[in-house]
Amino acid sequence: DLQAASVALYNAIALKPERKDLYDSLTYLYFAGERYGQVYLMGEDILKRDENRNDIREMLAVAKQALNMPKEALADYEKIFNATKELQYLYQVATLQYQLKRFGECIASLEQIIANPESEKKQIAIKNQDGGGQNVPMKAAAFNVKGICALEVNQDDAAKENFNEALKLFPDFVLAKNNLTLVEQRKAAAAKTSTTPKTTGTPAPKK
């Protein structure tokens, strides 16, 4: 099992610390077991020796997200994207920028994704509010996040436009449908509030 394998590797490292490949194997094993604290410690140590290990850096970024370190995870994903130019890493950058409320940077990253023709071909797994999930074209996912950014700054019309763009690309996109419904509900509530007569207070009783 994972526990026995990790103990065996740890003992092997103690006997042969010069075997750097053992450190890699132990990091992969910790990652498989979702032992993110150990992944963090091992990964940082490996990157000190070789900062170009993007496989280790990606595991480290995932570990940092699990350990509630979004700013540090963002820095790692930015480095991976700059080295590889792979869109899935730019999408991770955008989602972390959103999480950190860096909406301007997030939108700039999303627009890069949307402008890339590959974003219509690449799929990304998206979790729904009910715990289910879908594989969605990355371009549709990018429009959805762009719409959410617009909602955060109360730009409901821009949000609606982006959610509709997401649905044009992927009509069965559950999250975008739900977000579009939310916009419509907000607009309806705002319209109702604006048309409700305002009271002027209770008149003073006549003497």
Side-chain angles (χ1 to χ4, degrees):
D1 60 13
L2 289 173
Q3 180 65 28
S6 60
V7 170
L9 276 169
Y10 192 83
N11 291 335
I13 289 170
L15 292 170
K16 295 186 177 182
E18 72 279 2
R19 287 277 308 275
K20 303 305 179 187
D21 58 307
L22 295 176
Y23 293 85
D24 292 3
S25 298
L26 186 56
T27 305
Y28 273 93
L29 203 61
Y30 283 147
F31 186 80
E34 298 183 356
R35 295 171 64 179
Y36 295 122
Q38 288 91 337
V39 172
Y40 173 73
L41 294 173
M42 296 291 294
E44 289 283 6
D45 189 57
I46 292 170
L47 288 178
K48 285 177 184 176
R49 298 194 300 271
D50 184 1
E51 64 178 14
N52 295 318
R53 290 290 305 276
N54 286 322
D55 58 331
I56 298 295
R57 192 177 295 282
E58 183 175 2
M59 286 190 286
L60 190 55
V62 173
K64 288 174 180 177
Q65 285 181 275
L67 295 169
N68 196 28
M69 300 168 65
K71 187 175 180 181
E72 293 79 1
L74 172 60
D76 281 321
Y77 277 121
E78 286 174 334
K79 288 178 182 177
I80 299 171
F81 173 68
N82 288 335
T84 66
K85 303 303 178 187
E86 291 287 338
L87 285 183
Q88 69 261 30
Y89 300 121
L90 183 56
Y91 185 82
Q92 292 294 337
V93 166
T95 56
L96 283 164
Q97 287 168 333
Y98 168 77
Q99 185 178 339
L100 291 164
K101 299 188 182 300
R102 291 155 63 169
F103 300 129
E105 294 175 28
C106 178
I107 289 171
S109 298
L110 294 168
E111 287 177 347
Q112 258 189 278
I113 294 170
I114 290 166
N116 191 316
E118 290 298 310
S119 66
E120 289 191 47
K121 304 172 187 175
K122 291 184 179 293
Q123 299 273 314
I124 191 161
I126 299 290
K127 287 185 179 179
N128 301 328
Q129 290 101 327
D130 61 3
Q134 287 181 295
N135 287 327
V136 175
M138 190 179 292
K139 187 171 184 177
F143 271 120
N144 182 62
V145 178
K146 194 176 175 186
I148 295 170
C149 286
L151 277 181
E152 290 280 1
V153 294
N154 297 314
Q155 295 178 354
D156 288 6
D157 289 339
K160 182 177 179 179
E161 181 181 339
N162 281 292
F163 296 140
N164 278 324
E165 288 295 331
L167 290 168
K168 283 180 188 176
L169 291 162
F170 190 64
D172 295 326
F173 193 171
V174 172
L175 206 55
K177 285 181 180 179
N178 292 343
N179 288 332
L180 187 58
T181 299
L182 176 62
V183 175
E184 298 292 356
Q185 289 172 344
R186 279 172 52 146
K187 288 174 76 70
K192 184 177 180 180
T193 301
S194 66
T195 57
T196 301
K198 295 183 179 179
T199 59
T200 56
T202 304
K206 294 181 179 179
K207 293 183 180 180

